[in-house]
Amino acid sequence: MHKSKLGELEVSAQGLGCMGMSEYYGASDWDTNIATIHHAFDLGVTFLDTADQYGAGHNEVLVGRAVAGRRDSVVLATKFGIDRSAGDDNRLYRGDRPYVKRSCEASLLRLGVDHIDLYYLHRPPQNAEIEDTVAAMAELVAEGKVRFLGLSEVDGDLLRRAHAVHPITAVQSEYSLWTRDVEQVTPVMAELGIGLVPYSPLGRGFLTGAVNTDALDPNDFRARNPRFTGEAGRHNQAIAETVAAVAGRLGALPAQVALAWVYAQAPRLGVSVVPIPGTRSPVRLEQNVAAVDVRLDDDALRQLTPLSDAVVGGRYAERGVR
C-alpha cells in the first residue's frame, strides 16, 4: 500500500471506514471487527475513520481497542458535531465552543489516545458560525490534542471561511459513481490544497452488485433509503449491472472497478483522493485494497462516468445521519 497526502498529513492510499461495525448496517460482531481492523494493518491500511456518533460512542471504543499497542503506526480520524441526545428526529448539528471541547475530550477517552490525527466537523453547524467552530477546533490543535482539521459535507463558501481561520486538511464527503455532488466543491479544494476523503465510495455497497434491495435487514438504514427501495431500487439495478459488465471485461470485481473510478478522478479534480470504503469482512477488505492497482481504460471510463446521471432517488430519506 503506497501513501498519499491530505494536505501535509500522510496517510495510506486507502483508508478503512469503521461506521458499519457499530451501526446502520445490521448486527455486527466485536471480535470479527477487531480482526478485520488488524488485517487492514497487515495490508498497509493504516488510516482509520470513525465518529463519536457511530453507535453512540461504541465505534470509537472499538477502534481504540483495535489500535492499542499500534498507535504510532496508525492515522486516526474521527468526527464530532451531530448531537443525537434528543433522538434522531431532533438531532442537532452543533459547533458551539463548549460542545467542541467536550466532544474532543470524550473522543480521546473512548479512543484511549492522547491526540487525534484528523478531527472533522461532521456537518456544518446549526448553532454557530463556521468561523467560531473552527476557532474552537484550532484551540485543540494548539493544545496538542488534535493534529489536523477537516470538514465534512460543506460547500465552497463555508470551506473558504473555515480555511481562513485555520488550515483545513481534508473534506470528507460521499463520492462515488452515483454520488458526485462534491465536485461542486473540489475547485475550491484544489485552490487551497485540501484533500478529498470519499466515504461510501461503493455506493453503500450497491455498486458491488451484492445488495439485494428486497432482503435488507430492517435495522439496515438502506431499507429506508430512497435509492434502495421500491421502483427506484429496481431502476438503479441497471447501474450496478453496468459496473459488473465493465468488471467482467477487465477481469476485476465490481467493487474494485467502482473504487478504481474514484481513484481515477484525482487528476481531473486536481485534488488528492483517499477513499475510505467500509467493510466488516477481511475478504472484502483484501478485494478493496487490490483496487489501488486496478486501472480503467478509456472504454471503461466512458461507460462509468455518466452513470450518476441515471440515478433515481435521493441520498437520504431525511437529513443525513451519516
Side-chain angles (χ1 to χ4, degrees), residues 28-103:
S28 185
D29 178 76
W30 175 279
D31 291 334
T32 299
N33 292 330
I34 293 287
T36 298
I37 295 173
H38 286 171
H39 192 43
F41 299 156
D42 295 338
L43 297 172
V45 177
T46 55
F47 181 35
L48 301 183
D49 184 84
T50 181
D52 63 359
Q53 68 113 359
Y54 299 159
H58 174 279
N59 201 241
E60 288 185 324
V61 174
L62 173 75
V63 170
R65 297 298 185 275
V67 304
R70 311 183 189 217
R71 177 67 183 96
D72 292 343
S73 60
V74 176
V75 176
L76 280 179
T78 192
K79 299 177 285 292
F80 79 95
I82 300 181
D83 183 353
R84 299 167 66 189
S85 59
D88 274 338
D89 290 340
N90 298 298
R91 61 184 175 271
L92 178 66
Y93 300 156
R94 293 184 62 175
D96 52 290
R97 183 178 178 278
Y99 183 81
V100 174
K101 305 304 278 291
R102 288 198 307 272
S103 295

Side-chain angles (χ1 to χ4, degrees), residues 18 34 43 125 147-148 170 181 183-184 197 215 233 244 248 262 273 275 300 304:
C18 299
I34 293 287
L43 297 172
R147 294 179 59 211
F148 296 94
D181 304 26
E183 290 186 7
Q184 301 173 28
V197 178
V262 170
V273 176
L304 297 170

